[in-house]
Amino acid sequence: MSAAQFDAVVDALRRVLPCDRPADTVLSAWFRDQRRLGATDRHLVAETVFAVLRRRAFLTALTQPNPTPKRLAIASLVKVRGLNLRELEGILTEAEKKWAGELKGTTPELTLAERAELPDWVATQLQDAGLSDDELLALGQSMQNSAPLDLRVNTIKARREDVAVQLARDGIDAQPTPMSPFGLRIKGKPAVNRHPLFTEGAFEVQDEGSQLLGLLLAPRRGEMVVDFCAGAGGKTLMLGAMMASSGRLYAFDVSEKRLANLKPRLARSGLSNVHPQLIQGENDSKIKRLAGKVDRVLVDAPCSGLGTLRRNPDLKFRQSPESVAQLNVTQASILAHAARLLKNGGRLVYATCSILPSENDAIIDAFLAAHPDFVELPANVLLAEQRVELDTGTRLRLNPRDHGCDGFFAAVLERRIPKPVYPQDAELDEPAGHAAEDSPAE
């Protein structure tokens, strides 16, 4: 590492560490102002900044009583990356080199939550849900590493085997994902967004766990399907491909910017059945018009994102019990409104990229208690029908520790409107023909 690279790391950390905005957004803006930095420099800066965010509790304890951005950077390079002092020659002052040498043999005392690199309130909620100390620590440690790069092959345009072969020819090691039949896991972090197969729409970047949500919804050709919180449309595009570009697929979102990001992806995909729709909220008239008409609905609800800490480690500093409580209100409202779209026998998948029970089980349990016309379907059985060998029980629960993908939760619901029941005396007092004429339409 050069002195200029080290100075760039420290400057970037100063901008990011307040954690009042998404780290990737802050870094992107900072990089735009640093035109002298090459691709290698930018990669080094980003990796070091995110390493500090992932291990911030550990590094803060090491650098007490003065955890400045510079000291955090030094501690990360020495204790996390394992650089020796020779590699920092010409970068540190003599006093800093002496302190860095002392860090080599230093092990701070940490609480269980700090060792797991999770906020106390998150650790408490997980323990209250039944996680043992060892399980909590293993989960937290699995989120301290960077996430792999997963692709989803667009089956409208290509086969997974053919994409893997072509990528291998171009020096990119792509292995089939262990669970998703559409996925490839890339070794390293090559710039796949510049590859011809990407620009031609043969694949998209999508975490394997996210791909399993589409397999749970299992949309069929010719159906009417709604992606209720479509965002930039990664799951929408997967659903469209599973429908073989037939039927009608609505992509709803409240963000015009996110839907705008879907447009170039949709153009690459070759799909013709996707209809992006900007909505004002879950009460939008566009939604009300579809009530009782839809076959399948995906609700990838807005959430804390705490299942994605490998990619977004700053989220744990930007969320709080109060912000999650506000999200819970939104999640319950969105689920209730989305459920009204389903016809009898229709399927809904509620999903989050969160590991918190308050965003997952609590929302589903409350919904089922209030909606007797819905039953829960077993996720493990539905995945087995899709030839996915994964059994996390009735509800899908994914985490980096056990499954190598982001943390996801999903529950599958089916609407079953009961047949109307008529009073016994109506059968006795009224002729059969009259009873049939007076019965309400099902």
Side-chain angles (χ1 to χ4, degrees), residues 269-309:
S269 73
L271 296 173
S272 59
N273 65 334
V274 178
H275 302 272
Q277 299 278 323
L278 180 67
I279 58 173
Q280 301 305 311
E282 52 264 40
N283 279 310
D284 195 287
S285 60
K286 296 185 186 76
I287 297 171
K288 291 180 178 179
R289 285 198 292 266
L290 294 176
K293 300 176 182 178
V294 177
D295 296 286
R296 317 236 167 184
V297 177
L298 174 63
V299 178
D300 183 13
C303 68
S304 66
L306 291 173
T308 67
L309 290 181

Side-chain angles (χ1 to χ4, degrees), residues 205-220:
V205 175
Q206 186 177 13
D207 183 78
E208 183 184 22
S210 176
Q211 297 177 38
L212 296 187
L213 304 183
L215 291 166
L216 283 177
L217 193 68
R220 298 169 180 162

Side-chain angles (χ1 to χ4, degrees), residues 166 193 271 296 349 408:
Q166 183 60 54
N193 61 333
L271 296 173
R296 317 236 167 184
V349 171
F408 277 98

Side-chain angles (χ1 to χ4, degrees), residues 351-371:
T352 74
C353 53
S354 174
I355 55 175
L356 295 179
S358 61
E359 298 186 83
N360 299 332
D361 296 286
I363 299 297
I364 291 299
D365 292 344
F367 176 85
L368 288 171
H371 296 81

Side-chain angles (χ1 to χ4, degrees), residues 172-190:
I172 299 174
D173 185 350
Q175 299 299 321
T177 47
M179 297 179 289
S180 169
F182 311 125
L184 290 170
R185 182 156 292 165
I186 304 300
K187 186 174 182 180
K189 297 291 175 67

Side-chain angles (χ1 to χ4, degrees), residues 179 207-217 235 298 349-355 360-361 364 376-384 388-399 403 405-412:
M179 297 179 289
D207 183 78
E208 183 184 22
S210 176
Q211 297 177 38
L212 296 187
L213 304 183
L215 291 166
L216 283 177
L217 193 68
K235 299 178 191 68
L298 174 63
V349 171
Y350 171 87
T352 74
C353 53
S354 174
I355 55 175
N360 299 332
D361 296 286
I364 291 299
E376 187 168 7
L377 304 181
N380 51 355
V381 173
L382 297 177
L383 288 175
V388 177
E389 296 182 6
L390 174 67
D391 186 353
T392 65
T394 299
R395 296 172 182 176
L396 180 68
R397 306 175 195 275
L398 302 173
N399 65 72
H403 310 107
C405 58
D406 286 344
F408 277 98
F409 169 90
V412 188

Side-chain angles (χ1 to χ4, degrees), residues 127-148:
Q127 288 179 306
D128 289 346
L131 252 64
S132 68
D133 289 358
D134 288 344
E135 289 171 330
L136 177 67
L137 184 58
L139 174 62
Q141 289 175 338
S142 71
M143 293 184 169
Q144 294 169 23
N145 303 310
S146 62

